Structure formats: structure tokens, C-alpha cells
């Protein structure tokens, strides 16, 4: 199994990415990203709403890596949904990152003028400002509501996904279209019931890995792109070390059986878009 996945637009993405959600700008994101790049990550996941794109850009430049060696994702925030606002926001993200292009840009949330925002992403892809475009937090319901009206099929849908919440219904829709899922909270956000689950602990013993590595291996082997979060340098590095063993078909089936089909966030709940918009203001 390769550590790189080919998307439906032909571009390649590293299967494991380093997420910088909730890491402050002006230092901490710079340091965390630089550490991650030194540890071997080649895929960084930020967003306009994380307010730390500029530190990500600085870290990539400081790493000594060539721009094309690192896959950079950012996301359009809800305040900028709408065609004209999104066009401006794409340029703001590029300016904050200090980059000429982004490898991936996502609609961060599926509310309000999704169609207008998507059109701006499609144009930016055509003009080379963005290589791949995708969506995020789209449930089957949101996907069916919006995506049939898009001209371009999204390359990914970034959603909450882990062994307790495997998104099987969504995957049944996306798999035939070759749209990849990117998993946020891939370790259940540190859920002790998941990390200490006997099925996972016993596989960790068998393969000489930790519980997180077993979960990440399961996810990547099951076709996902995964974005684990850690502030511990040993685990940050270790979370990349999942390509030197393989779970058997039977073990994959056992782990598929852990699905409870429940996550921490329901994008279909009433008022979620309004709540997010008022909770996160990234500009006037
Ligand atoms: P830490 O930062 O101390 O490593 P998620 O990516 O699902 O949001 O989960 C993040 C949580 O999982 C954090 O609490 C993180 O703690 C923990 N974590 C990260 N990597 C591992 C791992 N390999 N094994 C166990 N826990 C991990």
C-alpha cells in the first residue's frame, strides 16, 4: 500500500496529513508545522478559519523543502460563501500562505451560498490558483442537496470519521464516484474507549505498534486520507509509521465491526450553519 492516493482529478495526495486546527498563529503553528515537516509529513491541513495560514506558509519556506514537495490544504470560511466573496477569500488565503497556489481548497461547511462559493473554487482551479477542490462536513443529505448542481465533482469530502463512526452510508455514495474521504478526528479525538478497545489493543500488541497507529493503519488501508492530531513529538512522528505492516482481511473486518454510526457533530442538525457563522468571525 502506498502512502500516496490518486484523486479523481489525477492529482496525488499523501494519505496522512498534519492538521493545525486550534494551534495559534505567530509561533505555535510555525513550530508545530516545521516539526511535522521534519518528521516526514508532506501534507498540511489548515483553514482560513484556523487563522494560522501565515505560520503554515512560513514553516514550509523554513523547512528547505521545495513548494511542490508539500501538499497544502486550506478551506473557505462561511463568511465568504458567495461567488464574489469567495474569489477574494481565495486570494487572501494565498496571500496569508505566501504561496502561488494551494494543492487543495475546501468549502469548510455546507451552508448558505454553497453553489456560488463552489463556482469561485472551480474558476480558481482552472486558473491554477488551486490544484484540487473539495468539500467538507457534507452528510449524505448535504451531498445530495448541493453536489448534483456542481459542474466539477469534488475530489474529497472531509468529514468526522474513525472506527466508531465509519461513515458507511456516505462512503456508499462517494466510492462509486471515486471521491475520497478525508477523516477529521480520526482517533476519535483521543476517545479512551476507542484507544483502549480490546480489539485495537490486541492488534497493537501483535504488530508492536500503539493503538493510534493501528487505527490510522485501518483507516488508510480502508482507503481514507487521515488527519491525526498530536502535540506529542514521539506520537507525531509515530503516526506516520504505519506503512511497514498490514492488517489481515479478517482484522479489517473486525475493526469494521466497531462502527456505532455516531459522531460528535451532526451537520444536519437545525441551526448549525448559523451557529458556526456567529461563533467564528475571521474578518469584518
Ligand atoms: P497527544 O496530543 O498527547 O498525542 P484526533 O486526531 O482524533 O483529534 O485525536 C487527537 C488525540 O489523540 C489527542 O488527544 C492526541 O494526544 C491523541 N493521540 C494522537 N496520536 C495518538 C496515538 N498514536 N496513540 C494514542 N493517542 C494519540
Amino acid at each position: 500500500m502506498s502512502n500516496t492516493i490518486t484523486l479523481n482529478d489525477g492529482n496525488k495526495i499523501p494519505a496522512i496529513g498534519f492538521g493545525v486546527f486550534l494551534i495559534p498563529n505567530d509561533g505555535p503553528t510555525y513550530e508545530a508545522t516545521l516539526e511535522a515537516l521534519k518528521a516526514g509529513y508532506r501534507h498540511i491541513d489548515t483553514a482560513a478559519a484556523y487563522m494560522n495560514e501565515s505560520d503554515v506558509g512560513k514553516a514550509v519556506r523554513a523547512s528547505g523543502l521545495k513548494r511542490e514537495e508539500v501538499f497544502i490544504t486550506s478551506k473557505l470560511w462561511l463568511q465568504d460563501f458567495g461567488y464574489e466573496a469567495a474569489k477574494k477569500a481565495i486570494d487572501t488565503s494565498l496571500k496569508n500562505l505566501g504561496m502561488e497556489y494551494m494543492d487543495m481548497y475546501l468549502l469548510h461547511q455546507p451552508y448558505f451560498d454553497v453553489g456560488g462559493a463552489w463556482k469561485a473554487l472551480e474558476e480558481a482551479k482552472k486558473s491554477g490558483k488551486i490544484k484540487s477542490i473539495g468539500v467538507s462536513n457534507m452528510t449524505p443529505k448535504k451531498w445530495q442537496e448541493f453536489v448534483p448542481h456542481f459542474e466539477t465533482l469534488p475530489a474529497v469530502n472531509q468529514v468526522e470519521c474513525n472506527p466508531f463512526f465509519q461513515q458507511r452510508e456516505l462512503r456508499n455514495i462517494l466510492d462509486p464516484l471515486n471521491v475520497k474521504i478525508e477523516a477529521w478526528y480520526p482517533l476519535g479525538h483521543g476517545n479512551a474507549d476507542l484507544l483502549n478497545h480490546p480489539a485495537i489493543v490486541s492488534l497493537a500488541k501483535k504488530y508492536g505498534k500503539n493503538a493510534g497507529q493501528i487505527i490510522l493503519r485501518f483507516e488508510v488501508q480502508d482507503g481514507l486520507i487521515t488527519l491525526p492530531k498530536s502535540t506529542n513529538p514521539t506520537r507525531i512522528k509515530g503516526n506516520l509509521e504505519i506503512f511497514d505492516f498490514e492488517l489481515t482481511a479478517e482484522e479489517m473486518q473486525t475493526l469494521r465491526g466497531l462502527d456505532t454510526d455516531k459522531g460528535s457533530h451532526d451537520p444536519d442538525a437545525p441551526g448549525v450553519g448559523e451557529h458556526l457563522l456567529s461563533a467564528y468571525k475571521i474578518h469584518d
Side-chain angles (χ1 to χ4, degrees), residues 207-225:
Y207 289 105
K209 296 282 173 182
N210 65 43
Q213 290 169 314
I214 297 298
I215 294 169
L216 297 172
R217 174 71 208 191
F218 165 65
E219 292 170 347
V220 173
Q221 201 171 319
D222 214 23
L224 304 179
I225 296 156

Side-chain angles (χ1 to χ4, degrees), residues 62-112:
S63 71
L65 293 164
K66 293 195 198 105
R67 171 65 188 88
E68 62 271 24
E69 289 178 295
V70 189
F71 191 102
I72 300 291
T73 295
S74 191
K75 312 184 191 88
L76 182 76
W77 186 237
L78 283 178
Q79 263 182 290
D80 297 313
F81 277 35
Y83 176 65
E84 291 299 336
K87 279 207 299 195
K88 256 175 70 183
I90 290 164
D91 287 340
T92 303
S93 280
L94 287 168
K95 195 163 150 245
N96 287 339
L97 287 161
M99 293 177 180
E100 283 173 9
Y101 69 90
M102 293 177 280
D103 296 278
M104 176 81 83
Y105 207 59
L106 308 180
L107 299 186
H108 202 151
Q109 297 286 345
Y111 309 101
F112 313 121

